Amino acid sequence: MILKASNLAIRFGQTVALRDADVAISPGEIVAIMGPSGSGKSTLLHVLAGILRPEHGEVHLDEQRIDNLSDSRRSRLRLRSFGFVLQFGDLVPELSLRENVELPLRLLSAPRAEARTRSRELLRQLEVDDLADRRPGQVSGGQAQRAAVARALVHRPSVIFADEPTGALDSAAGEVVLDALTGLARKEGSAVVMVTHEARVAAYADRTVFLRDGRVAA
Amino acid sequence: MSVSRILLGLLEPSSQHGYVLRRRYDEWFGTSRPLKSAQVYATLNRLDRDGLISLAGVAAGVGPDRRVYAISEAGVVELDRWLDEPDVPEVTASRKVLFAKVLIALSSGRPAEPMLDRQRQAHLARMRELRVQRQSGDLLGQLDADFEMYHLDADLRWIDGAAARLNRLAALVNAAPDPAAAVPGTHGARQENR
Ligand SMILES: Nc1ncnc2c1ncn2[C@@H]1O[C@H](COP(=O)(O)OP(=O)(O)OP(=O)(O)O)[C@@H](O)[C@H]1O
Ligand SMILES: [Mg+2]
């Protein structure tokens, strides 16, 4: 298992968002998380990704327990080991697509030339290389989302987390993004944990975890 | 599927052996259920009897494989009618089995939720297979996979909608008058077993 969480529980005030949730992800595995609105999908994703700290339970990345690390060590670990694709491309609006894709490598202090080569290669594979110098506001939603996929992959993370990665796209643009995300993740060996409410999206995964009322129902 | 109308349509461009028709049918429509040759010949015989096709010749040799058929004028009229008429928008009975299972589970006091969860997983597993087929297939294979995927997707939406309303549905189903109660000597299994 690359990522393993057991007995997760978390509340927001009176709302129990997760109770007794167990999830285990194998290296390179693609897993979809489904469930009704409010069932705890995004919360689970945030706990697995070390963004939220659970009240109960543990999260392990490889052999390392990560839920009890300090905030700064957790954000360092997120930067190094995880990639993220959110519903509305959270690219930095002031940076070009190329600079956005290079960003994780720059933050990890990779050599500039290496960041350049790697981002160029990914943008090419995602067929947005001719838009590399435009800013996110100057490309379509689908194109921006492909750049977000490149950014999520650029530092070869062990796990990519995606929350409704195609939620804002029509089905044709969504398929291009999903083909790229799952195809490249498989090729590079990154696991993917992807929240979606669409079965056609979940069909890209190896299996589906279904949540109900904060529990894993199936 | 309307095998006879499909064969009629395949015959229209040119007269053919039953063998050629069967091969074309399997190529386009036979991915899940290829046609048996006996079925082809029985269908051609019926179309012949109904005057929609006629024997156009017999190639050298013996056996049913040698007969060459051509569409008749009445056949063209029937083919036009079949193609022009929209199909009745309907859901096949087999797709509604799940609907029946949910009602029977609830009315017999069983939980329906685990059943819906298992069905959801089974549907998702099939959608994953179709996704693979879709990625590797040619255009025909892709459209074929899409057709099934969108239908499964519709089932899944129904499953989600039903799962969200199970409590209300259980109350409704169990409030219905019990037919067995009106017949003396009949056992209302529901009350006694559960
Ligand atoms: N920051 C927060 N503060 C208060 N309540 C929260 C917070 N985040 C989530 N919740 C609550 O926790 C529950 C689970 O929320 P979560 O966002 O995980 O649901 P979800 O399954 O992702 O739903 P959706 O499909 O609508 O995105 C909900 O009842 C939600 O209102
Ligand atoms: Mg959510």
Side-chain angles (χ1 to χ4, degrees):
Chain A
M1 292 300 144
I2 182 82
L3 193 65
K4 192 167 176 0
S6 42
N7 303 109
L8 296 180
I10 188 168
R11 276 171 308 185
F12 297 105
Q14 303 282 37
T15 310
V16 180
L18 290 178
R19 58 189 103 199
D20 228 11
D22 294 331
V23 183
I25 314 286
S26 306
E29 192 182 24
I30 301 184
V31 176
I33 300 177
M34 299 188 84
S37 183
S39 59
K41 303 182 294 294
S42 297
T43 305
L44 177 61
L45 198 79
H46 293 153
V47 171
L48 292 177
I51 296 168
L52 280 175
R53 219 192 261 267
E55 286 170 50
H56 295 284
E58 301 182 359
V59 182
H60 294 258
L61 176 68
D62 272 323
E63 299 304 309
Q64 187 187 13
R65 182 165 174 189
I66 63 169
D67 59 279
N68 59 357
L69 297 177
S70 69
D71 285 354
S72 65
R73 291 195 60 202
R74 265 187 300 138
S75 39
R76 187 77 197 157
L77 180 130
R78 275 204 303 277
L79 182 60
R80 192 183 62 234
S81 301
F82 297 156
F84 294 89
V85 184
L86 304 181
Q87 175 170 359
F88 299 103
D90 55 338
L91 299 170
V92 182
E94 294 81 12
L95 300 182
S96 69
L97 298 192
R98 184 206 316 285
E99 290 162 336
N100 266 286
V101 175
E102 287 173 2
L103 196 56
L105 286 177
R106 304 303 308 281
L107 292 172
L108 289 165
S109 317
R112 181 182 281 267
E114 184 194 319
R116 192 46 51 118
T117 314
R118 171 82 173 143
S119 69
R120 185 181 298 135
E121 174 56 20
L122 279 172
L123 287 166
R124 192 185 59 73
Q125 296 199 53
L126 286 152
E127 295 175 23
V128 281
D129 42 342
D130 49 340
L131 306 172
D133 293 320
R134 296 209 204 161
R135 292 180 183 183
Q138 298 169 322
V139 301
S140 76
Q143 291 161 343
Q145 214 50 345
R146 277 186 266 166
V149 168
R151 188 200 50 187
L153 283 156
V154 73
H155 52 307
R156 304 181 196 276
S158 347
V159 188
I160 295 174
F161 295 96
D163 199 344
E164 300 282 5
T166 59
L169 305 179
D170 71 21
S171 63
E175 265 176 40
V176 175
V177 168
L178 287 166
D179 282 333
L181 172 62
T182 57
L184 288 172
R186 280 191 203 285
K187 199 167 104 192
E188 307 209 330
S190 296
V192 177
V193 182
M194 166 167 84
V195 168
T196 182
H197 65 274
E198 282 182 75
R200 287 177 60 83
V201 174
Y204 279 88
D206 301 315
R207 65 186 165 97
T208 298
V209 170
F210 192 84
L211 291 187
R212 180 180 305 111
D213 298 331
R215 277 200 185 87
V216 176
Chain B
M1 230 192 305
S2 319
V3 173
S4 71
R5 295 314 181 253
I6 291 172
L7 293 184
L8 203 54
L10 294 179
L11 263 181
E12 199 191 32
S14 64
S15 317
Q16 293 295 355
H17 291 187
Y19 169 72
V20 174
L21 295 176
R22 182 174 154 221
R23 214 177 44 192
R24 173 49 58 85
Y25 181 99
D26 285 349
E27 183 189 340
W28 283 359
F29 313 110
T31 43
S32 49
R33 196 147 39 109
L35 220 48
K36 292 200 168 56
S37 63
Q39 196 184 350
V40 176
Y41 299 117
T43 306
L44 290 174
N45 279 335
R46 199 158 7 95
L47 287 169
D48 188 8
R49 188 196 63 206
D50 295 344
L52 302 178
I53 62 175
S54 60
L55 201 59
V58 180
V62 286
D65 233 347
R66 307 288 168 179
R67 281 186 287 179
V68 174
Y69 286 98
I71 194 167
S72 68
E73 269 180 44
V76 174
V77 170
E78 169 54 21
L79 182 63
D80 277 337
R81 188 203 61 77
W82 183 65
L83 290 174
D84 288 348
E85 191 173 83
D87 278 313
V88 180
E90 66 181 351
V91 175
T92 55
S94 68
R95 297 202 85 86
K96 290 188 84 172
V97 167
L98 190 57
F99 179 65
K101 279 189 170 181
V102 169
L103 291 191
I104 294 302
L106 292 175
S107 66
S108 63
R110 292 174 169 84
E113 209 161 60
M115 190 176 91
L116 290 176
D117 286 343
R118 283 192 296 272
Q119 191 63 55
R120 181 186 296 105
Q121 290 293 354
H123 266 60
L124 287 168
R126 177 64 186 147
M127 285 186 77
R128 286 194 287 275
E129 288 176 7
L130 290 164
R131 160 70 47 202
V132 173
Q133 176 185 327
R134 204 181 177 287
Q135 265 159 347
S136 54
D138 55 7
L139 182 58
L140 211 61
Q142 284 172 13
L143 286 175
D144 193 30
D146 270 350
F147 195 86
E148 192 174 337
M149 280 184 103
Y150 281 114
H151 281 81
L152 295 177
D153 195 41
D155 287 352
L156 284 163
R157 284 165 200 248
W158 182 84
I159 288 172
D160 288 344
R165 295 183 184 79
L166 282 179
N167 289 339
R168 274 164 61 200
L169 191 59
L172 182 88
V173 163
N174 292 311
D178 187 343
V183 185
T186 315
H187 295 287
R190 189 177 72 209
Q191 289 83 347
E192 264 136 69
N193 293 345
R194 290 179 188 268

